[in-house]
Amino acid sequence: MSAIQTDDLTKNFGSLCAVDGLTLEVNREIFGLLGPNGSGKTTTVLMLTTLLSQTKGSAGICGHDTVREPDRVRSCISYVPQDMAVDTNLTGRENVLIFARLYGVPNPKDRVDELLAVMGLSDRADDLAKTYSGGMRRRLELAEALVHEPEVIFLDEPTLGLDVGARKTIWDHIHALNRKGMTIFVTTHYMDEADQFCDRVGIIDHGKIAALGRPSELKARLMKDVITVVVDGDYSPIQIEGTLLIGRSGDEISFTAENGREALPVLADALSRAGNRVRAMSLREPSLDDVFLQSVGRQEEAQGFEEWRYRMMLRGRA
Amino acid sequence: MKGVLTYIHRDFVKWIRYRVGLVSALVLPAAWLLFVGLALPVQFTGNYLDFITPGILVMTILTTGISSGSLLMFDKILGYLNKFLAMPVPRESILVSKILFITVRGIIQTTIILIIAVLIGATILNPAQYGLTYLILFLFGVFISAFSTTVALYLDDHDSFAAFTAMVTMPLFFTSSALMPYDVMPGWLRAIARVNPLSFAIDAIREVGTGTIPVLSITMLALFAAVVVVISGHVFRKVTV
Ligand SMILES: Nc1ncnc2c1ncn2[C@@H]1O[C@H](COP(=O)(O)OP(=O)(O)O)[C@@H](O)[C@H]1O
Ligand SMILES: [Mg+2]
């Protein structure tokens, strides 16, 4: 029995296909669903957490169907939405206590103390949550999600809007939970995080899985080195043996080659001969960004930002 | 049931911690009572304070109830609702808790008005009469809060909801029997006031004051409340699939 299993999971909003035939199996690992804004990550998570019904296909969590046995599913999962929903006019302790009571855990007060300690919030537990930093709010939400010791935990963009240090802390906690046997399903549009912290990733674009596997495997499908070129003006395409175009992102064009140091001068030469004005070139190892670029093409501008700002503004009023 | 109580507790603590809201919720109706009941130089009936108090009580339930749909709407917009819906707690407990919290909060406010009314010269009723008054206010509160919550679930954005609230409150109040008896109203107003649900509750409380038990009105209010609660439950289930 898998922690998460989906079969042809599909969601249409009118004529828009937000999630398109997702077939996936996740087990006792940190699985990262990776994709730009609007690619269908949240929609997928909502279906898996019984918050949205699918148009087609099925999903099972710990052997229970999300549509036929939603209550069974809800008992073995936790869901932390991307909105950072903590009651800011309640203290940290009060926030977690609500969840302990709702889940009906025995000795809720002790359980809350224990979790606040795990998340490093004990000394601030009785301050109002509105005085917490973004990272602390996220840790508070993790504490809430852990009160009933779920088998599977869903985190939608857990590091969105956090600074580097806070992100690292959140990922450390995620790792610790996974070591205790929990399955973690996490979405993010930060490729570097997924690369570093996920056991396996699925790259999703326009609702479809474009690549699936361990980050190291996915990167190994590219050649050993990546050369990034910045050109002024239009780019005239070139074709040379031994180097392969990965794709374009803005004014950057990326190529992959077996031996980057040798390919670099050849490439520079070929580019100028084709009439390109090369402004800069750099050589590095492949990253998940490159895998993404190759599997789905040009990376789009983030668009979810304004909505995020709007929610943050509203939060002050609630 | 445990879920309902936990949700109510959450809203209650948030309410009393939000000082400005708390103070205005308690002071505003009291100010109304003092102003309309004592300062207004009109005298339609013998003890105008006894006449006006039921109107202010029902208006208080109306104003606090009608805007309270925003409680569930904010929970939804800000993501709390999804967190709660992903838990193995019966989902309807959220809706039930909101309706009960809003109603009980209104009852607390009306209690303050009842006390002030007595202090400034309203007739003291017997315990059974107060009991009936509370019953009527409770039923009307459930009716209004379920109605407001249903509209909020439909509208789904706070600007249109604020517009809805403003649009409903004042007209309902001024076309009810709150401020003057039917026999001094112009004909057109009387016709509207007779079918205004607000008048229904106000008239019932006035009847209680004169010593009769308005069985029909109470039954009707209970029926209205039940119908709106059922509709509300239906909309809630539809919105949360
Ligand atoms: N309730 C909805 N109604 C209509 N379209 C929606 C709804 N929710 C999401 N979408 C659309 O579905 C697509 C995927 O959205 P989402 O799953 O939120 O993406 P992500 O979480 O990856 O940013 C987007 O194009 C979005 O506009
Ligand atoms: Mg999303």
Side-chain angles (χ1 to χ4, degrees):
Chain A
M1 187 192 70
S2 319
I4 303 172
Q5 189 156 26
T6 73
D7 181 30
D8 193 29
L9 193 66
T10 303
K11 179 71 192 182
N12 296 335
F13 292 112
S15 61
L16 176 86
C17 188
V19 175
D20 191 358
L22 193 69
T23 301
L24 202 63
E25 197 177 330
V26 178
N27 254 317
R28 291 196 168 229
E29 58 190 319
I30 303 179
F31 181 86
L33 191 63
L34 203 51
N37 276 311
S39 54
K41 304 184 295 294
T42 298
T43 306
T44 304
V45 171
L46 290 179
M47 287 191 284
L48 295 178
T49 51
T50 76
L51 294 170
L52 191 69
S53 56
Q54 62 263 34
T55 311
K56 208 175 80 182
S58 67
I61 309 291
C62 302
H64 306 296
D65 187 87
T66 50
V67 175
R68 283 196 307 273
E69 308 168 278
D71 275 324
R72 291 281 186 83
V73 171
R74 287 173 203 146
S75 305
C76 55
I77 63 163
S78 267
Y79 165 57
V80 179
Q82 93 190 36
D83 321 290
M84 255 205 235
V86 300
D87 281 313
T88 49
N89 271 332
L90 301 184
T91 66
R93 191 189 305 282
E94 287 167 338
N95 267 289
V96 186
L97 199 54
I98 288 175
F99 281 72
R101 295 229 167 92
L102 288 174
Y103 279 113
V105 300
N107 304 320
K109 290 216 162 88
D110 297 343
R111 179 76 184 138
V112 171
D113 281 339
E114 185 188 326
L115 285 166
L116 287 168
V118 170
M119 287 298 147
L121 292 168
S122 296
D123 52 333
R124 298 286 307 276
D126 294 309
D127 294 345
L128 294 185
K130 69 171 138 209
T131 66
Y132 286 18
S133 67
M136 292 170 73
R137 288 181 196 196
R138 266 294 183 238
R139 279 183 277 143
L140 189 61
E141 288 201 284
L142 281 181
E144 291 173 357
L146 296 175
V147 288
H148 64 130
E149 303 190 313
E151 289 173 60
V152 186
I153 176 164
F154 293 89
L155 303 166
D156 198 356
E157 310 250 12
T159 56
L160 185 68
L162 301 187
D163 64 46
V164 180
R167 284 188 200 177
K168 176 81 171 62
T169 314
I170 295 293
W171 280 109
D172 287 344
H173 283 297
I174 292 175
H175 256 282
L177 296 176
N178 176 245
R179 272 199 300 278
K180 282 197 274 176
M182 226 175 262
T183 302
I184 322 268
F185 188 100
V186 55
T187 78
T188 179
H189 64 262
Y190 299 122
M191 305 284 161
D192 52 327
E193 289 187 351
D195 195 348
Q196 214 178 328
F197 300 108
C198 293
D199 297 320
R200 237 156 32 100
V201 299
I203 291 180
I204 186 172
D205 185 55
H206 296 302
K208 267 197 157 70
I209 291 281
L212 181 70
R214 299 186 161 276
S216 53
E217 284 166 16
L218 294 179
K219 285 185 288 186
R221 286 186 206 159
L222 295 167
M223 284 184 272
K224 254 178 79 200
D225 291 316
V226 170
I227 302 165
T228 304
V229 184
V230 182
V231 293
D232 281 324
D234 287 339
Y235 164 65
S236 326
I238 53 156
Q239 275 286 357
I240 47 172
E241 214 170 307
T243 44
L244 206 70
L245 177 74
I246 301 176
R248 288 188 70 165
S249 172
D251 59 355
E252 277 191 5
I253 302 142
S254 301
F255 299 88
T256 173
E258 240 357 284
N259 185 335
R261 274 150 55 101
E262 283 173 14
L264 196 79
V266 181
L267 191 63
D269 206 35
L271 281 168
S272 341
R273 257 191 287 123
N276 293 292
R277 267 185 298 146
V278 176
R279 178 143 51 97
M281 293 183 88
S282 62
L283 179 64
R284 55 182 172 79
E285 288 183 0
S287 68
L288 266 192
D289 274 306
D290 301 314
V291 175
F292 184 86
L293 199 58
Q294 194 189 35
S295 30
V296 309
R298 198 171 66 86
Q299 199 171 350
E300 282 156 42
E301 281 295 306
Q303 23 154 287
F305 184 69
E306 282 309 317
E307 196 193 346
W308 166 254
R309 284 282 297 269
Y310 166 73
R311 279 165 193 273
M312 290 310 280
M313 184 194 82
L314 279 181
R315 179 141 305 122
R317 296 204 215 163
Chain B
M1 196 58 214
K2 202 167 164 185
V4 174
L5 290 179
T6 307
Y7 289 131
I8 291 180
H9 183 252
R10 166 177 177 259
D11 277 324
F12 197 78
V13 174
K14 283 168 75 168
W15 179 52
I16 56 176
R17 221 162 263 177
Y18 176 51
R19 296 264 164 64
V20 187
L22 182 64
V23 169
S24 87
L26 299 181
V27 167
L28 212 63
W32 259 90
L33 183 65
L34 289 172
F35 177 73
V36 182
L38 290 181
L40 222 60
V42 278
Q43 285 286 341
F44 296 119
T45 55
N47 186 343
Y48 190 56
L49 195 59
D50 277 346
F51 178 81
I52 197 75
T53 303
I56 304 287
L57 292 176
V58 172
M59 182 203 69
T60 302
I61 299 277
L62 172 72
T63 49
T64 63
I66 203 79
S67 60
S68 300
S70 61
L71 277 178
L72 189 54
M73 186 160 59
F74 272 117
D75 274 358
K76 190 175 170 205
I77 296 175
L78 297 178
Y80 304 103
L81 183 60
N82 264 353
K83 270 170 114 170
F84 296 144
L85 291 176
M87 293 183 154
V89 184
R91 290 183 157 191
E92 281 78 6
S93 2
I94 299 167
L95 182 66
V96 173
S97 78
K98 290 288 186 237
I99 293 174
L100 285 179
F101 167 70
I102 297 161
T103 307
V104 168
R105 189 178 64 179
I107 298 274
I108 293 172
Q109 291 172 247
T110 52
T111 303
I112 291 174
I113 293 170
L114 276 171
I115 293 169
I116 294 176
V118 168
L119 288 180
I120 62 176
T123 314
I124 297 178
L125 307 175
N126 67 41
Q129 284 173 307
Y130 282 123
L132 281 172
T133 303
Y134 275 124
L135 176 66
I136 294 164
L137 290 173
F138 180 81
L139 292 174
F140 185 71
V142 169
F143 169 70
I144 287 295
S145 52
F147 173 59
S148 161
T149 301
T150 311
V151 173
L153 281 172
Y154 254 121
L155 287 183
D156 219 14
D157 94 89
H158 60 277
D159 289 331
S160 14
F161 186 71
F164 154 81
T165 304
M167 216 165 61
V168 164
T169 315
M170 281 299 141
L172 260 186
F173 182 66
F174 286 112
T175 62
S176 74
S177 59
L179 295 174
M180 56 187 106
Y182 291 105
D183 46 21
V184 302
M185 286 181 193
W188 63 270
L189 184 58
R190 195 177 311 137
I192 301 174
R194 287 274 180 209
V195 294
N196 185 331
L198 223 62
S199 319
F200 234 83
I202 296 169
D203 296 346
I205 296 176
R206 283 190 187 134
E207 273 183 65
V208 168
T210 63
T212 49
I213 301 177
V215 180
L216 183 67
S217 304
I218 291 178
T219 316
M220 290 296 281
L221 276 174
L223 211 65
F224 283 157
V227 168
V228 180
V229 166
V230 168
I231 293 174
S232 187
H234 182 73
V235 172
F236 181 77
R237 269 188 293 274
K238 221 172 70 184
V239 172
T240 56
V241 276

